[in-house]
Each structure stands twice: as C-alpha cells, then as structure tokens.
Amino acid sequence: MRKGLVAFAAVVLALTTACGGRTWQVRMEIDGPAPAKVASSFAGESKQPELAERPLPWHVENSVGTGFSNIGVRGGAPGTVCRVFVDGKLVSEQAVDASGAADCAAGTQE
C-alpha cells in the first residue's frame, strides 16, 4: 500500500512539474503566551477550516500551488501574533486586537 502511495505522489509531482505548476513553501504560525483557538487553510484546500484549541507557539507548513493560505486566531491573549511565511520570507504579520482576534494571509501566484 505504501509503495502505491509513493508511486502516486511521484506521478502527481511529475505531472505538476510538467504542466509548469509552481509550488511555494508556506509556513503559518501563531506565537503567544497562552493557548488560543486557531484555524488555518492552505491554497488548494477545499475543506472549511475549523477553530481548534492549540498550545502556543504553534505552526503548520505545506508546499502549495497558486492561491491563498490563511490563518486566524481567536481568544488570543495580549501579545499573541499570527505570521505567514512564503519560501522563508515573512509576508503577513498581525497582533491580536482587543477582542483577541488576528488574521494573516498570503497569496501565491506565478
């Protein structure tokens, strides 16, 4: 089963590269002094993001194609910040507001 998945992933990667599909490495993170509710979605994902309680600091990383990647925090303590990096470069940073909310996003396109 694992060999089949590896072979499938190799075919998808080859087709994406052959079609000129560019990818970017996106890292989304939340840093702060206390747990908070976090929701994130990467470019190309079709599922609706759900808020989940996360210990901080927290991050998630993925290789994505063209589109928007988003992260949001709710119930963050003062000093909590969201950040999005694309290929190692900071492209979005936001501290929580008075209600404990912040949203960060990054678009990727050729």
Side-chain angles (χ1 to χ4, degrees), residues 30-38 52-58 73-81 96 100:
I30 304 287
D31 192 13
K37 292 183 179 178
V38 176
E53 186 85 13
R54 304 284 184 197
L56 302 182
W58 178 86
V73 60
R74 300 295 180 266
T80 301
V81 177
V96 294

Side-chain angles (χ1 to χ4, degrees), residues 54-85:
R54 304 284 184 197
L56 302 182
W58 178 86
H59 76 276
V60 63
E61 206 168 326
N62 201 3
S63 181
V64 303
T66 300
F68 283 92
S69 297
N70 307 283
I71 189 167
V73 60
R74 300 295 180 266
T80 301
V81 177
C82 65
R83 293 180 189 93
V84 180
F85 298 84

Side-chain angles (χ1 to χ4, degrees), residues 6-109:
V6 172
F8 176 74
V11 169
V12 169
L13 180 61
L15 288 174
T16 302
T17 304
C19 294
R22 170 128 166 29
T23 60
W24 294 265
Q25 191 65 26
V26 174
R27 176 185 171 98
M28 297 185 281
E29 61 184 39
I30 304 287
D31 192 13
K37 292 183 179 178
V38 176
S40 64
S41 66
F42 285 103
E45 289 184 341
S46 59
K47 67 179 174 103
Q48 187 70 14
E50 294 182 23
L51 279 173
E53 186 85 13
R54 304 284 184 197
L56 302 182
W58 178 86
H59 76 276
V60 63
E61 206 168 326
N62 201 3
S63 181
V64 303
T66 300
F68 283 92
S69 297
N70 307 283
I71 189 167
V73 60
R74 300 295 180 266
T80 301
V81 177
C82 65
R83 293 180 189 93
V84 180
F85 298 84
V86 176
D87 291 338
K89 295 178 185 172
L90 179 64
V91 296
S92 181
E93 181 176 42
Q94 182 70 46
V96 294
D97 61 17
S99 71
D103 297 290
C104 291
T108 50
Q109 68 180 14

